[in-house]
Amino acid sequence: MENTEEIVESLVEISLNDPQDFLKIRETLTRIGVSSRVGNKLYQSCHILHKRGKYYITHFKELFALDGLPSKMSEDDYARRNTIVGLLAEWNLVKIVDEEKCQEPLASLRRIKIISHKDRHDWELIPKYHIGRKPPKEE
């Protein structure tokens, strides 16, 4: 990903059924990601982004790129993001604005860990990106 326009163009825009759903979606995304091989650690894959009146589900690497940090999305990253967006839509948490953007590639559900709400306290939930924090300054 090279420039901001390309990055924004690749983002998956969604609409909320109700503005109150934003927090529910944000919390749900903290429980979906990649688990560590050792211990109960889950690395969050996607975030919900609200920008200029629109909502997007983004992979954390897309957020790094938007912040101007070096980041390269792999086919697996797109597949994981697309599958997670599809799950949110299947669960009636979001509506996908342009479904073609997230039809392919898709990841196997065996490659994505989903922690139930009741089990979340048994896991260390680790975001790879923190929305609202300023990226470190280059010296």
Side-chain angles (χ1 to χ4, degrees):
M1 291 187 189
E2 294 187 5
N3 65 42
T4 304
E5 283 181 33
E6 284 178 24
I7 299 163
V8 170
E9 193 59 36
S10 77
L11 299 178
V12 178
E13 184 181 349
I14 51 116
S15 63
L16 306 181
N17 298 320
D18 181 306
Q20 300 297 318
D21 288 346
F22 180 87
L23 295 176
K24 186 188 311 181
I25 295 161
R26 187 174 74 176
E27 190 282 328
T28 299
L29 288 170
T30 66
R31 298 182 285 105
I32 304 173
V34 178
S35 62
S36 64
R37 296 185 193 275
V38 180
N40 280 3
K41 292 182 181 181
L42 182 85
Y43 298 95
Q44 182 177 347
S45 292
C46 294
H47 297 267
I48 184 169
L49 176 66
H50 183 211
K51 205 82 168 154
R52 297 185 183 145
K54 295 183 178 183
Y55 295 95
Y56 304 91
I57 301 297
T58 66
H59 191 280
F60 71 86
K61 289 182 182 178
E62 291 171 306
L63 293 170
F64 285 151
L66 283 172
D67 281 347
L69 300 171
S71 182
K72 184 163 175 40
M73 287 279 288
S74 70
E75 182 97 354
D76 283 346
D77 296 327
Y78 284 112
R80 199 172 303 112
R81 180 205 62 192
N82 292 346
T83 301
I84 291 169
V85 172
L87 287 170
L88 294 174
E90 191 178 307
W91 298 335
N92 294 316
L93 289 171
V94 303
K95 289 185 181 80
I96 303 167
V97 172
D98 180 358
E99 292 194 19
E100 284 185 22
K101 275 192 172 180
C102 59
Q103 286 182 336
E104 288 185 354
L106 294 174
S108 161
L109 288 178
R110 286 179 282 157
R111 300 190 53 125
I112 298 171
K113 181 74 175 170
I114 303 167
I115 307 298
S116 71
H117 191 266
K118 69 178 177 58
D119 293 337
R120 72 190 185 285
H121 297 297
D122 298 333
W123 286 77
E124 182 180 355
L125 305 176
I126 305 167
K128 294 270 194 150
Y129 182 89
H130 297 277
I131 290 178
R133 283 195 191 164
K134 298 249 187 257
K137 291 183 181 176
E138 293 183 28
E139 294 182 29

